[in-house]
Every structure is written in structure tokens, then in C-alpha cells.
Amino acid sequence: MKTRLLLSGLGLLATLSSSFSNVALALEPLSIRSMRGCSGTQEHVLRNAEADLLGRIQTVRSELPQFDLRYVYENFIVPGEREWSENSLANQRYSRYLFDMNRVFTLMENDTRSGLNFECKDSMRERHCRNGEVYAYVLFLFGSPRKTIYFCSAFFRMSPDQQKETLLHELSHYSAATEDLVGNWSGGKQTDITQAPKDAYHIGYFMNGTTELTLKRQIWLWNWKRKPFPPTQD
């Protein structure tokens, strides 16, 4: 969900967003620069949610290059009887996808190392939380994210896995100005996986699933069609 807001009197357009290279894997915790408006319990939940985040970001960055076109061909195209052409648009799009995903995850890693700004909001008092419909959000001004992730009360009623996925989702807004495309780039003839790195929902799926399984379900199955069945003979 994405809502555009005009800030009265300022003439500023704000956008509300709710919700490879060699990598030295490090498991140090995410750096939180500031935590505002959060109770002790909420702060504890947020620190638990972000505890493995940097390690997961680095793991995805290190693993993505392994799933190149050769790997896809040998482990998905051939056994799955999918269509394949060496210089096809599908292959070109996948190469672009991997390049852009590395950029997004690099930006997220850099911001986690610099330190993130968190702020807690009351879902019943903060209009952006929409009475509990929104779990967390990042505000944008002129297309650039304001460097704060806001957490609504509803976030703290989610399961731990949902909280981590939501945090990665919002971090992609915060760091890479992703949008809430909700996977509308996939499905049927309109599939264009080059839009996936711009989709915060797609980024969030990498938090709790393995990199390969997420790629298979989110990208490979949509990008390469099954070979047509040969005509039957009477």
C-alpha cells in the first residue's frame, strides 16, 4: 500500500510506504542509531527482530551470485523441462535482476552498519497506522526516504517471523526507495522480473525462506515457461 500526501502549507509531496560482490559474512547485530517513543517491551521486541538481520542480508548477498544462468539451466530449466534460449529476453532480464538485487542488498547492508533510526507509534493515535491496518512504514519526501522506520502498535502483535520479514521489507524502503508493488510485476504475459528488486514485498520474502527456494518461487517459475507438450498422434 502506498499513499501520496500533500503536506499542508509546505507544498511538499510526501509518500507514505507501509507495509554481488565478495561479502565477508559477519554475524554482528544490527546497529540502531536511535529508538524513540518505544516502551521497554517494544524495544526488546525490535532488538530481537533485528538481531539476525545483518547476517541474513550478508548471506543473501553472498548466495545470489551462485544462482547464475548456468545454475538455473542445470538445476531448474533442464529437470523442469522449461523453455530456454541462450540470448533470450528472459535470460537478459534475469541477469539484470541479479545485478539490481545486489545493489539493493548492498544499500541495506551499508545502512545497517551506519545505524538505523526507529520510532514507535500508537496505532490509535497516529493516522499513518490507520487504526491498526498498517504495521510499519517509511515516509518519503520528493521520492527520497526519510531515514526513520516507524513501527505501529500492530507490529508488536505479529509473530517473530512476520516481524523480521516486515523489518526487511521496511529496510528496503529506507535504504533503496523500494515501492509496495505487491508482486504485480509477475503473472502471465506481463511478467517482468526486472521490477522485482523495486518491490519491498519481494525483498521481504528473503528473510525467512532460503535464497534458492525464494528465487524459484518468486522468479524462476515466472520467468521461464514450461515447454509445450508435443502434439499427440492418433
Side-chain angles (χ1 to χ4, degrees):
M1 176 176 58
K2 208 160 191 181
T3 305
R4 293 189 175 276
L5 304 169
L6 187 63
L7 299 186
S8 175
L10 297 179
L12 297 179
L13 183 65
T15 301
L16 167 64
S17 301
S18 66
S19 20
F20 295 113
S21 64
N22 294 325
V23 180
L25 294 182
L27 298 179
E28 67 266 28
L30 184 72
S31 174
I32 299 177
R33 180 182 301 164
S34 68
M35 184 105 61
R36 297 175 57 191
C38 302
S39 68
T41 299
Q42 290 174 329
E43 182 173 337
H44 178 72
V45 169
L46 287 173
R47 292 194 182 280
N48 282 341
E50 55 77 28
D52 301 322
L53 190 60
L54 180 56
R56 182 59 189 152
I57 290 171
Q58 292 176 314
T59 296
V60 174
R61 280 195 65 208
S62 68
E63 290 179 345
L64 279 173
Q66 302 173 24
F67 303 110
D68 58 10
L69 286 170
R70 179 183 292 276
Y71 184 93
V72 173
Y73 178 77
E74 294 175 351
N75 295 275
F76 178 73
I77 301 297
V78 173
E81 297 185 340
R82 297 274 168 167
E83 293 183 354
W84 179 268
S85 177
E86 197 67 32
N87 296 311
S88 66
L89 179 60
N91 290 10
Q92 294 173 23
R93 283 177 169 174
Y94 186 66
S95 295
R96 181 68 195 186
Y97 165 83
L98 291 179
F99 178 86
D100 288 342
M101 286 292 285
N102 180 62
R103 182 187 67 83
V104 170
F105 275 82
T106 297
L107 290 172
M108 290 194 295
E109 181 178 348
N110 290 344
D111 274 340
T112 62
R113 291 185 179 283
S114 298
L116 303 176
N117 301 310
F118 291 169
E119 187 168 335
C120 297
K121 296 290 186 179
D122 187 328
S123 290
M124 297 298 106
R125 297 180 180 179
E126 173 55 56
R127 63 189 178 91
H128 296 328
C129 293
R130 301 190 181 183
N131 294 319
E133 295 181 7
V134 173
Y135 302 111
Y137 60 93
V138 171
L139 291 171
F140 282 65
L141 291 174
F142 297 117
S144 297
R146 296 176 61 182
K147 292 299 186 177
T148 300
I149 299 177
Y150 300 91
F151 297 93
C152 301
S153 303
F155 173 86
F156 300 97
R157 295 190 290 271
M158 304 172 79
S159 71
D161 282 350
Q162 290 173 323
Q163 289 172 342
K164 291 177 183 179
E165 183 174 317
T166 299
L167 182 53
L168 185 59
H169 173 120
E170 297 303 332
L171 181 57
S172 74
H173 289 319
Y174 180 107
S175 302
T178 58
E179 302 180 64
D180 288 322
L181 301 180
V182 201
N184 64 12
W185 44 268
S186 64
K189 296 181 180 179
Q190 303 304 316
T191 296
D192 182 1
I193 64 169
T194 62
Q195 298 302 305
K198 304 173 186 177
D199 186 359
Y201 283 90
H202 177 67
I203 302 300
Y205 291 139
F206 283 88
M207 187 67 218
N208 295 312
T210 67
T211 303
E212 181 171 10
L213 185 58
T214 304
L215 287 171
K216 183 176 181 179
R217 290 176 174 176
Q218 287 274 305
I219 301 298
W220 301 349
L221 287 170
W222 294 110
N223 197 48
W224 288 282
K225 300 177 182 178
R226 283 190 178 276
K227 292 180 179 179
F229 291 108
T232 57
Q233 296 182 353
D234 296 332

